[in-house]
């Protein structure tokens, strides 16, 4: 690995030159910063990835069935598996999407499932990201640069090629395409993931478009090309959150949406990737019920574990959380990116009591979990090898069939005392090597 370590600085310089940065809005100011890359890879043996692959396919299939059910028949609610109030009080549940079934019945075409591995080797799912999961482009370009820097390494270690993500993405968009071109919709240069939008568009042969280049006529979505001609859009991979997608359906003040795009979607003239309304499945409270969804829809036992989770919404769980808050981690169900996460172990007694009061007043707003002491991975820092907490975002694509990309985004904390690895919290990333047989 010395060959890779020696190239780390030059690889990070190239990443910066190519614009592989992460943007953060803080105090109403946009900050763009390098997403630090560590050349020591995470290595996943073939048999271990095969296990993860089966579990991830099972989980995403169940979540897609849940989304279809919850916007059409509500059967899982009628059968008492999930409380009605729990669904309809979620900020991620969008009433304008009720009764709308997307092309081919697929809601989450691109799912980002966040996992950690405990020190005993057990994998736990921490979060399901089914709205606009980001991050696939970073290991794609990093692997390309690593191949250039140390080509012999990949023959020695027999690593599975990860250059097929763009083809998987293109095939997924093609499968649900309603006639027309594939478009990746970006809010523009100042979006935190703009590099990814442009990189994925280039690699998947899709058209990169801003909202100003799209318009709707007769419930049909069009792209205006550089010659001024309009071209029908059959599949729109939108990198804009639901609230801002269509100012006529959601937030009227949105300046980055496409007016009437929901009308084109409702008429079946365009596929939206991912489907609006998926936020209900991202709700950290709904996460608690995913193992039950797998049993309910698939009649199978879950392959992957949830982290041990408590819902203060239930009286028994609430009592346990209040009595054991000092050893739990509390998460706001609607937050993302590492925000809204607090550790009881970091609180003094006054702060603990404050949080007990908040949880008692707003039990639906939070979940609490046991703290998993997940593994540390080696990183190269100041000419030394040190260990930091790391997770894995696996990418699962649902088209003609559900497939797991044999790679992923491994994020690590740069703070030796932190369990929070998100890039928005200052973390870095590694390449993920899935070994062949």
């Amino acid at each position: 690995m010395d060959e890779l370590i020696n190239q780390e600085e030059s690889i990070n310089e190239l990443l910066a030159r190519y614009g592989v940065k992460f943007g953060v809005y803080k105090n109403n100011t946009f900050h763009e910063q390098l997403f630090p890359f560590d050349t020591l890879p995470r290595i996943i043996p073939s048999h271990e990835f095969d296990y993860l692959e089966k579990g991830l396919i099972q989980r995403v299939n169940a979540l897609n069935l849940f989304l279809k059910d919850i916007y059409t028949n509500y059967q899982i609610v009628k059968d008492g598996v999930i409380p009605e109030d729990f669904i309809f009080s979620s900020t991620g549940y969008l009433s304008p999407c009720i009764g709308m079934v997307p092309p081919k019945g697929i809601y989450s075409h691109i799912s980002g499932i966040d996992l950690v591995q405990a020190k005993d080797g057990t994998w736990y799912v921490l979060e399901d990201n089914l709205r606009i999961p980001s991050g696939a482009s970073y290991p794609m370009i990093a692997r390309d640069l690593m191949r250039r820097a140390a080509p012999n390494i990949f023959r020695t270690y027999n690593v599975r090629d990860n250059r097929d993500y763009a083809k998987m993405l293109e095939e997924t968009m093609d499968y649900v395409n309603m006639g027309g071109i594939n478009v990746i919709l970006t809010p523009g240069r100042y979006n935190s993931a703009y590099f990814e939008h442009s990189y994925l568009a280039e690699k998947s042969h899709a058209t990169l478009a801003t909202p100003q280049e799209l318009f709707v006529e007769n419930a049909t979505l069009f792209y205006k090309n550089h010659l001024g001609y309009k071209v029908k859009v059959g599949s729109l991979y939108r990198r804009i959150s639901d609230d801002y997608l269509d100012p006529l359906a959601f937030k009227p003040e949105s300046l980055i949406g496409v007016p009437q795009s929901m009308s084109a979607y409702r008429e079946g003239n365009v596929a939206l990737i991912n489907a609006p309304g998926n936020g209900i499945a991202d709700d950290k409270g709904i996460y608690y019920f995913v193992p039950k969804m797998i049993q309910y829809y698939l009649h199978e036992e879950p392959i992957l574990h949830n982290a041990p989770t408590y819902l203060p919404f239930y009286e028994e769980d609430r009592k346990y959380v209040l009595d054991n808050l000092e050893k739990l981690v509390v998460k706001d169900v609607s937050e993302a990116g590492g925000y809204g996460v607090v550790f009881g172990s970091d609180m003094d007694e006054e702060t603990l009591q404050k949080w007990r009061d908040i949880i008692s007043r707003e039990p639906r707003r939070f979940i609490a979990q046991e703290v998993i002491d997940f593994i540390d991975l080696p990183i190269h820092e100041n000419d030394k090898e040190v260990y930091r907490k790391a997770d894995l975002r696996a990418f699962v694509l649902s088209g003609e069939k559900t497939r797991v990309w044999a790679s992923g985004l491994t994020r690590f904390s740069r703070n030796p005392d932190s369990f929070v690895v998100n890039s928005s919290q200052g973390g870095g990333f590694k390449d993920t090597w899935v070994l062949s047989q």
Side-chain angles (χ1 to χ4, degrees):
M1 294 291 178
D2 289 346
E3 191 176 358
L4 286 175
I5 293 172
N6 293 337
Q7 296 290 333
E8 183 167 293
E9 185 176 348
S10 61
I11 290 174
N12 272 287
E13 287 175 357
L14 283 171
L15 290 172
R17 187 182 305 170
Y18 291 146
V20 186
K21 299 179 181 180
F22 192 87
V24 177
Y25 285 97
K26 194 170 184 179
N27 300 324
N28 296 318
T29 304
F30 178 79
H31 302 276
E32 195 171 47
Q33 60 197 46
L34 180 69
F35 193 8
F37 176 66
D38 182 75
T39 50
L40 290 173
R42 171 179 223 146
I43 298 177
I44 300 178
S46 178
H47 72 276
E48 198 164 324
F49 179 77
D50 291 345
Y51 160 79
L52 289 174
E53 183 176 41
K54 290 177 184 176
L56 289 164
I57 289 172
Q58 179 194 60
R59 190 174 183 96
V60 169
N61 284 344
L63 283 163
N64 262 308
L65 290 169
F66 164 73
L67 286 164
K68 184 175 182 180
D69 183 12
I70 214 64
Y71 282 110
T72 54
N73 298 321
Y74 317 112
Q75 200 60 49
I76 198 168
V77 173
K78 294 173 184 176
D79 289 340
V81 179
I82 301 178
E84 181 178 18
D85 290 346
F86 206 87
I87 294 290
F88 300 124
S89 65
S90 173
T91 57
Y93 188 77
L94 300 184
S95 56
C97 297
I98 293 173
M100 297 173 62
V101 179
K104 306 290 177 65
I106 301 171
Y107 285 76
S108 185
H109 310 82
I110 303 156
S111 305
I113 309 299
D114 294 344
L115 307 106
V116 294
Q117 187 175 26
K119 290 183 175 177
D120 67 358
T122 304
W123 286 91
Y124 292 94
V125 175
L126 285 189
E127 288 185 12
D128 303 294
N129 300 280
L130 279 69
R131 282 179 289 186
I132 319 170
S134 63
S137 64
Y138 302 119
M140 288 171 68
I141 191 169
R143 176 77 64 86
D144 183 54
L145 295 176
M146 290 173 76
R147 281 183 176 278
R148 295 188 218 169
N152 292 329
I153 287 282
F154 293 91
R155 287 190 283 270
T156 302
Y157 283 88
N158 203 20
V159 181
R160 294 194 202 181
D161 198 336
N162 78 342
R163 287 173 289 188
D164 60 344
Y165 184 83
K167 182 172 177 56
M168 292 170 67
L169 177 59
E170 184 177 9
E171 290 172 351
T172 299
M173 290 191 285
D174 285 344
Y175 182 67
V176 295
N177 189 295
M178 300 306 291
I181 63 172
N182 293 326
V183 169
I184 294 181
L185 171 61
T186 178
R189 169 70 183 82
Y190 289 103
N191 183 264
S192 63
Y194 180 75
F195 161 76
E196 174 155 282
H197 306 164
S198 57
Y199 187 79
L200 291 179
E202 176 189 348
K203 295 296 183 181
S204 66
H205 308 108
T207 298
L208 182 69
T210 60
Q212 294 75 27
E213 296 171 304
L214 298 172
F215 62 96
V216 174
E217 283 183 358
N218 300 320
T220 303
L221 182 64
F222 291 98
Y223 166 72
K224 183 181 289 187
N225 67 18
H226 66 286
L227 297 175
Y229 297 116
K230 65 181 185 181
V231 183
K232 184 178 183 301
V233 178
S235 174
L236 184 72
Y237 180 12
R238 46 90 182 206
R239 299 300 296 256
I240 290 175
S241 66
D242 292 348
D243 287 345
Y244 296 95
L245 178 61
D246 182 346
L248 299 181
F250 303 115
K251 285 193 173 184
E253 65 270 26
S254 172
L255 300 177
I256 57 172
V258 181
Q260 299 185 19
S261 54
M262 283 295 288
S263 297
Y265 173 61
R266 187 179 297 109
E267 293 298 319
N269 293 328
V270 67
L272 295 181
I273 298 173
N274 283 335
N278 280 12
I280 179 65
D282 277 17
D283 186 308
K284 292 180 177 65
I286 293 298
Y287 158 94
Y288 174 90
F289 295 99
V290 176
K292 296 183 180 182
M293 291 179 202
I294 292 170
Q295 294 168 328
Y296 180 79
Y297 293 115
L298 304 179
H299 310 291
E300 299 171 356
E301 288 303 311
I303 295 170
L304 294 173
H305 300 273
N306 272 13
T309 304
Y310 307 95
L311 284 187
F313 179 82
Y314 292 126
E315 184 177 352
E316 183 179 352
D317 280 16
R318 183 165 64 250
K319 184 178 186 308
Y320 179 85
V321 171
L322 299 179
D323 290 345
N324 296 276
L325 188 58
E326 69 282 355
K327 61 182 183 182
L328 301 174
V329 55
V330 177
K331 298 180 179 180
D332 190 311
V333 299
S334 298
E335 294 282 1
Y339 296 101
V341 177
V342 294
F343 289 82
S345 58
D346 294 336
M347 302 178 191
D348 57 25
E349 186 52 45
E350 182 180 353
T351 307
L352 284 168
Q353 188 54 51
K354 172 188 169 186
W355 273 96
R356 290 188 188 103
D357 294 341
I358 294 172
I359 292 168
S360 297
R361 286 197 309 268
E362 302 178 76
R364 172 62 179 86
R365 182 181 163 189
F366 302 100
I367 64 169
Q369 294 177 325
E370 303 286 351
V371 178
I372 298 173
D373 188 13
F374 54 97
I375 63 171
D376 304 81
L377 293 180
I379 69 167
H380 191 246
E381 186 177 90
N382 298 324
D383 296 324
K384 289 190 288 188
E385 189 174 291
V386 297
Y387 283 77
R388 297 288 184 266
K389 296 296 181 189
D391 76 350
L392 172 67
R393 172 163 290 182
F395 291 91
V396 186
L397 281 72
S398 301
E400 187 173 5
K401 59 182 179 179
T402 305
R403 297 180 288 176
V404 181
W405 183 36
S407 186
L409 177 64
T410 291
R411 300 172 296 185
F412 63 86
S413 171
R414 300 172 74 199
N415 180 345
D417 301 317
S418 177
F419 280 67
V420 180
V421 301
N422 302 71
S423 51
S424 55
Q425 302 295 308
F429 79 103
K430 292 174 169 287
D431 195 6
T432 304
W433 290 8
V434 177
L435 300 185
S436 301
Q437 290 285 6

